[in-house]
Amino acid sequence: MRLVIAKCSVDYVGRLTAHLPAAVRLLMVKADGSVSIHADDRAYKPLNWMSPPCRIEEAPGVWRVVNKAGEELRITLEEIFHDTSHELGLDPGLVKDGVEAHLQELLAAAPHTLGEGFTLVRREYPTAIGPVDLLCRDGAGATVAIEVKRRGEIDGVEQLTRYLDLLGRDPLLAPVSGVLAAQEIKPQARVLAQDRGIRCVVLDYNTLRGIKRDDLTLF
Amino acid sequence: MKFRVERDALADAVAWTAKSLPTRPSVPVLAGVLMRVSDGQLTVSGFDYEVSSQVTIGVQADSDGAALVSGRLLAEITKALPAKPAEIAAVGTHLELVCGSARFTLPTMPVEDYPTLPSMPEMAGVIDASTFAHAAAQVAIAAGRDDTIPMLTGVRMELDGTTLSLLATDRYRAAVREISWRPKDDGVNLQALVPARTLAETAKTLGPLGGDVLVALSRGGVGEGMIGFTGGSRRTTSRLLDPDFPKIRSLFPDQHNARATLSVAALTEVVKRVALVADRTTPVRLSFAEGEVVIEAGGSEDARASEAMEGEFTGEPLTVAFNPGYLLDGLSVLDAPTVFISFTTAMKPAVISPAAENGEPIPGYRYLIMPMRVGN
């Protein structure tokens, strides 16, 4: 990550043209080659930028950042105040707020939310391709694998299908049915799930947490 | 398959069937409508494994047979056809449609891949079509729309002797409608939870046809877990929801301490006007006093509105706040000149019920609405 603070003007020549008159700005050159120009405001949106893949041609007083399509970001530097580079290393990625894990925990404590007479076998039931979020038994004692998601999308259904396929081979568990439990289930995911005989359950996080809605209800 | 048919009859039949087709079919054939000709009758069917619909119309048939074509496309085409008889023929893997000088060729899908439509459950009784349509609209409006609590997206039908009750709630309001019908067996006692949207749409399309609607519902045997409606030459079946349903009749208070008698049209107009400054979740406040009600909305910082209207009121003066949308929903389906709003206290559910011009109550329908909390 290279940080440069400089008085510069910027011209963008591509599908459309843009010009930033000379002013002091922060230039960020990232490891993937992308360049962004920031003013001293806003949290994330640069004034102008070039997404990777692109290359920088540095000449004294002028940088040319060109991408594959031939679009060009031309930065004319009048005065450089600061220029440092830092090695940031590999980023672990954004960790979401743990709602999914919490939902899993709450459902483990209240498996009847998923269906009448459901009892928990265990959380994170191990399979050869990774753990199933929840393994339960329904009222009749049949095995049910549950995939817990914040948003139920196609990939969640695919994931559960793989687990069901694998669990179904275990004579002690088979037949195994599936439940996709999510706060919100996308229509495409619902269609796919129903087509594969997977039941969809929409979860109310607040109710599970025992947080009463503020509004009055009849019951 | 080859036949001639009146354009309007065809367009109606296809439009009605195509309406219940899935938007995202899991199998492509489910996006189709099946047209089958036999004995001079054309049967148009649609099915998505939940809801099936079928309509039969008379045609001039040259040869019998069946064809499966995209329902939406056919519905749009038939709607746009000139007002002339249409001639339809299945030719190889295509359907040829000629109407006046317009000519369409549509690809067909294999008929043998199309699922068999569920058979009708046993007939339970008969109900007047327009009464049914009206009642279904009055109740379905209170049904829940989100899937968090699946049972609330249904309308409960209770068939008890000669009374047919429809009930629905979304936890903020509840509606109950009782109508009389003609059961096949006077000792009938059946309950079913029908998806509200299906019920409302079916009743709405069968209503204008007039005549009677046959209700088919059975316990055990053929068609368990299904309900069927037949009106004229149209029939629909729908899968039922799990029969559990909250006991909402007991939510209606037995008695009331205060009651307002207002003109439905005037109240609707005033609430709509005042609610302009309120967004979907902010309440309108109704302050009742003898001879007058003041309706206001908006906070001290935001836009505000208030309007007073005349109305009869008995009981201690009272201020109550409602979600304007829920209040208007209730008023819109009353279908009466006058409304009674009955209260126990400002924080307890209020009952909205219809009355005649002269203040005579009209029995059969009640709409329960939960008040909202208001600051200070």
Side-chain angles (χ1 to χ4, degrees), chain A residues 116 187-188 190-192 194-195 202-204 207 213-219, chain B residues 24 26 147-148 152 169 171-174 246 251 347 349 368 370-373:
Chain A
E116 196 77 38
Q188 296 97 321
R190 187 180 285 274
V191 170
L192 184 66
Q194 279 163 354
D195 189 49
V202 180
L203 303 171
D204 187 336
T207 311
R213 290 158 74 140
D214 194 35
D215 40 7
L216 300 167
T217 55
L218 290 166
F219 54 91
Chain B
R24 292 187 181 79
S26 53
D147 279 333
T148 323
L152 299 186
T169 180
R171 292 194 299 162
Y172 299 101
R173 61 256 175 87
L251 297 171
M347 291 320 276
L368 187 70
M370 192 68 203
M372 290 175 83
R373 262 191 212 106

